[in-house]
Amino acid sequence: MGRVELFRRRLKLNLALQGGGTHGAFTWGVLDRLLEDSYLRFAWISAASAGAINAAALAAGLAEGGPDGARAKLRQVWEGVAKAGVPEFLRLNPVLFTLSRSAPLAHLASLWSPYEFNPLGFDPLRRLLNETIDFAAIRKHAPVEMLIAATEVATGEARLFRREEMTVDAVLASACLPALHHAVEIDGVAYWDGGYSANPDLVTLAMESPVADTLIVQLTPLKKEGLPTGAREIQAHVNRLTFNAPLIRDVEIIEMAREAMRGAVRSRFSRLRPLAQHRFHLVEAAPYTGVLPDASKTNPDIALLNHLHAAGRTEAEKWLALNRRAIGRRSTVNLRAHFESVRAGRRLKPKEMVDAETPPTGAKPRAGAVTGAVSVKPAKAGEPPVARGTP
């Protein structure tokens, strides 16, 4: 057994962590299980919103104490979220505290803007992050690269903060819901939640990371049946569509690159090769988050957080059992087929789950292949990924 362990293959994996408020506790569970695998290492992390909080906790924990330190740090952060409960600025205001006990925090946003009900910009998350995460350690010692997305208020463009730029303001900017928090200013630029522009950024990750496998942890369901009619239900539905749009856009860009590589002389599209040949994997929270009330995203109840953490561990365990050997060899999800099947309300057949191999050079393009000039510009810090050209 010792000799078998000696020659066991070391695995490297990027992470793409979607935002989703307190539903990010599911991602905590996924990471908690993956960190138990002594042969698995993380390379790059692309994240937004709650995903950014998980990414920062993971990076700080790895820098301070390796995988065990990362597990402890993630637990510390999420237990801190639960302990914070109702934000302290509400506790200090008897009127708002009374309202918060009868309605979720999101309901307050429909009554006043954060500049009205929280004029001093008090943010308990800032104190929690400062108390639990050593950002200097992330910048100097974290063994992972980071792409933390925030959205520039003035333009709507994505700003990607790298590991060497990591600060509490970068994470707060990525998790800044404008209906609940003041915009976060960094170097004179105001930012809102990264989920509006990159949730998370897959294109830059695939183009730049030297590791060609990425596990996506998706929190928000792609489809939710039923017509919303109440004001809060409509707003929640709009938010779901808005925060899934960047992920869907990136999948479309990746598929355009793959079609271009299949349907034309490869040398013309050599810049697309890392994107077209990147291997993707997926763990979904939808079976759990899809049945929760919309208000649960802003409800840091310890029972809910523990439930989602356990669900994340369960799904990560299933994914590892089925797909561990595929890391470094093949994708375990066909993103386009998966997204289309969800929209159509059908289950994929096993053979549809895996991406087809790229045909050899000179192969004829299949029906519907993209054969025009398409290029993808990877995002630098402060720039969103851009797909250019005419398919």
Side-chain angles (χ1 to χ4, degrees):
M1 287 298 295
R3 296 181 66 181
V4 171
E5 290 294 310
L6 180 65
F7 292 102
R8 191 173 181 182
R9 191 164 59 104
R10 305 282 176 169
L11 305 173
K12 292 184 178 181
L13 193 65
N14 303 314
L15 297 169
L17 310 180
Q18 194 180 41
T22 54
H23 292 180
F26 177 90
T27 303
W28 165 33
V30 171
L31 299 178
D32 193 46
R33 175 60 188 90
L34 296 180
L35 285 163
E36 290 179 344
D37 192 318
S38 60
Y39 288 86
L40 187 61
R41 293 292 181 268
F42 302 131
W44 285 41
I45 308 173
S46 180
S49 199
I53 296 172
N54 276 313
L58 174 64
L62 289 173
E64 295 172 9
D68 289 340
R71 294 185 65 208
K73 184 65 65 178
L74 283 159
R75 177 169 292 279
Q76 183 184 12
V77 167
W78 281 100
E79 288 183 348
V81 168
K83 289 178 182 178
V86 177
E88 292 184 21
F89 69 81
L90 292 182
R91 292 196 186 101
L92 297 175
N93 187 313
V95 175
L96 296 182
F97 180 61
T98 300
L99 285 172
S100 71
R101 296 180 69 181
S102 60
L105 179 59
H107 181 54
L108 296 177
S110 67
L111 302 177
W112 302 286
S113 85
Y115 298 89
E116 294 171 326
F117 70 73
N118 182 21
L120 298 180
F122 181 79
D123 187 353
L125 182 58
R126 177 182 293 276
R127 187 174 71 179
L128 171 62
L129 294 177
N130 277 327
E131 290 176 349
T132 57
I133 294 179
D134 185 343
F135 287 93
I138 293 177
R139 294 190 296 271
K140 294 179 182 179
H141 305 300
V144 292
E145 183 53 82
M146 303 177 74
L147 299 172
I148 301 302
T151 302
E152 187 175 336
V153 176
T155 65
E157 294 184 348
R159 164 72 155 93
L160 300 179
F161 293 92
R162 310 284 175 135
R163 177 181 56 81
E164 62 272 14
E165 304 171 289
M166 204 48 49
T167 63
V168 66
D169 282 329
V171 176
L172 289 173
S174 184
C176 178
L177 288 171
L180 298 178
H181 304 290
H182 292 208
V184 177
E185 288 195 14
I186 300 175
D187 297 330
V189 180
Y191 295 99
W192 281 342
D193 198 294
Y196 292 116
S197 56
N199 196 20
D201 186 316
L202 299 182
V203 173
T204 305
L205 182 67
M207 290 288 285
E208 296 187 13
S209 174
V211 172
D213 286 79
T214 293
L215 174 65
I216 303 169
V217 182
Q218 185 180 351
L219 299 181
T220 305
L222 288 170
K223 183 178 182 179
K224 191 167 185 178
E225 298 289 357
L227 177 66
T229 55
R232 279 190 285 169
E233 289 75 18
I234 291 172
Q235 186 58 54
H237 198 75
V238 169
N239 287 340
R240 185 185 64 78
L241 297 176
T242 300
F243 284 109
N244 269 334
L247 179 63
I248 295 171
R249 175 205 63 200
D250 279 10
V251 170
E252 291 174 346
I253 291 173
I254 292 164
E255 289 304 324
M256 287 173 61
R258 288 179 173 174
E259 293 290 356
M261 288 291 291
R262 292 185 187 111
V265 179
R266 286 191 178 189
S267 60
R268 289 184 59 198
F269 300 100
S270 58
R271 289 182 62 247
L272 295 181
R273 184 171 284 109
L275 184 60
Q277 297 183 346
H278 201 82
R279 297 178 291 269
F280 286 99
H281 315 273
L282 179 68
V283 172
E284 283 189 288
Y288 305 93
T289 60
V291 297
L292 293 174
D294 294 319
S296 63
K297 284 188 176 182
T298 55
N299 177 24
D301 176 74
I302 187 61
L304 173 63
L305 300 184
N306 285 334
H307 165 69
L308 290 172
H309 170 262
R313 283 188 58 88
T314 297
E315 292 304 311
E317 178 68 37
K318 291 178 183 177
W319 182 82
L320 282 171
L322 290 173
N323 302 307
R324 196 179 191 285
R325 293 184 178 182
I327 300 174
R329 295 172 175 169
R330 61 177 177 83
S331 294
T332 57
V333 62
N334 182 322
L335 290 176
R336 178 169 59 183
H338 173 71
F339 280 28
E340 288 177 352
S341 70
V342 171
R343 289 171 175 171
R346 69 178 183 88
R347 294 176 62 89
L348 284 179
K349 299 177 181 178
K351 66 179 181 181
E352 296 177 301
M353 286 296 293
V354 182
D355 288 327
E357 294 293 329
T358 302
T361 303
K364 293 182 180 180
R366 65 182 189 181
V370 177
T371 56
V374 180
S375 65
V376 177
K377 178 184 177 183
K380 299 178 181 177
E383 295 183 1
V386 178
R388 296 174 177 171
T390 304

